[in-house]
Amino acid sequence: MRSLVIAPNWIGDAVMSQPLLRLLQKKDPEGTIDVLAPASVGPVYQAMREVSEVLGSAHVSGKLQLGLRWKLGRELAARRYDRCYVLPNSAKSALAPWFARIPQRIGHHGEARIGLLNVRHRSPKPLPMVEHYARLAYPIDQALPAAVPDPVLHLPAARLAEVRQKFRIEHDAPIMVLCPGAEFGPAKRWPPRHFAALAALMSDRWRKVQILILGAMKERPLATEIAALSGQPLRNLCGETSLSEALALIAQAHGVVSNDSGLMHVAAAFRRPQVALFGSSDPRHTPPRSAAAQVLWLELSCSPCFERECPLGHLDCLNKIPPARALEALSASLKLLSAGSTDISP
Ligand code: SF4
């Protein structure tokens, strides 16, 4: 069987769709799985062993673009897919597979997709995202198994070495990664002063530690502020790495501290020791799926509020997580998972 997956647009969602691909491959080991993905998530799928080919979809943006989607549909038709899994919930995301006349077009009930999809799943209750996507691997009338695998990403050692060399990362010193961004909004961002204080604590605890700040170009000012407040020689790589390079740096990090963000899910899928800081969102819905992950969530009476900005104006859910607590959580995560050959003992 030839399968096509229409990817979601967010890094975290892309990571959380990996178990679906794993289940599909398990059911059809001889089949192929291609993924149609925008550049914003393509590298995530390139780090999945189950994927045969990642097809770029840069020319199709969030707009309707009917003509472009028809053209894309004709290109997909030439590839003769047997089935297509449409992960975004929009009607427009289901148009190209419909134009391509792919026989089985599978997805969740979404906006006006009757006809566009011919296998539509409806969950009786909201599921965590991993299970939400994994559901599509099974017939509509079959219950989801109790245990769905956690997302796993993989990059070859040669790629890790190449990226390490490009960014002049020392081989014999621990790498700690801070990811202070969160696309959703400030109510998911631990304050810069806390990241800065944590960086200073890390430098005290681990000699010769290399602290990298990763994120997009728009997070660069945030990282500059953290570096200035910390008084430490932090490497601000926000906007300097491609997503593919950021994945390779996270994959070899000895520890990752992030907000609830796409890079948090990346760190979990590479099984890195990590601390995930949750504010207005809910770790029960989108947790980092890794036994080594430590989640810090205060579970205040007002949380989760799922707001982009704190409606109460104080952001206590994040402000009240002290840097020392994040350091201890990271130490606990390091103990749970071997971080490789580099000595990271205090
Ligand atoms: S209302 Fe509560 S959970 Fe929401 S952002 Fe403010 S402090 Fe956080």
Side-chain angles (χ1 to χ4, degrees), residues 186-188 278-281 297 300-319:
K188 283 174 72 171
F278 277 75
S280 67
S281 55
W297 184 45
L300 303 181
S301 57
C302 54
S303 80
C305 69
F306 296 111
E307 297 289 344
R308 292 176 191 272
E309 296 191 23
C310 179
L312 303 178
H314 52 55
L315 197 64
D316 276 357
C317 57
L318 286 167
N319 276 326

Side-chain angles (χ1 to χ4, degrees), residues 43-55:
V44 175
Y45 287 99
Q46 278 155 356
M48 294 183 192
R49 292 179 196 265
E50 298 79 8
V51 175
S52 301
E53 189 177 351
V54 177
L55 314 175

Side-chain angles (χ1 to χ4, degrees), residues 204-224:
D204 280 350
R205 180 160 298 192
W206 294 293
R207 280 182 54 242
K208 289 173 61 187
V209 66
Q210 307 172 89
I211 303 178
L212 317 179
I213 310 182
L214 295 182
M217 181 55 88
K218 64 184 162 204
E219 278 136 14
R220 199 164 175 81
L222 186 63
T224 302

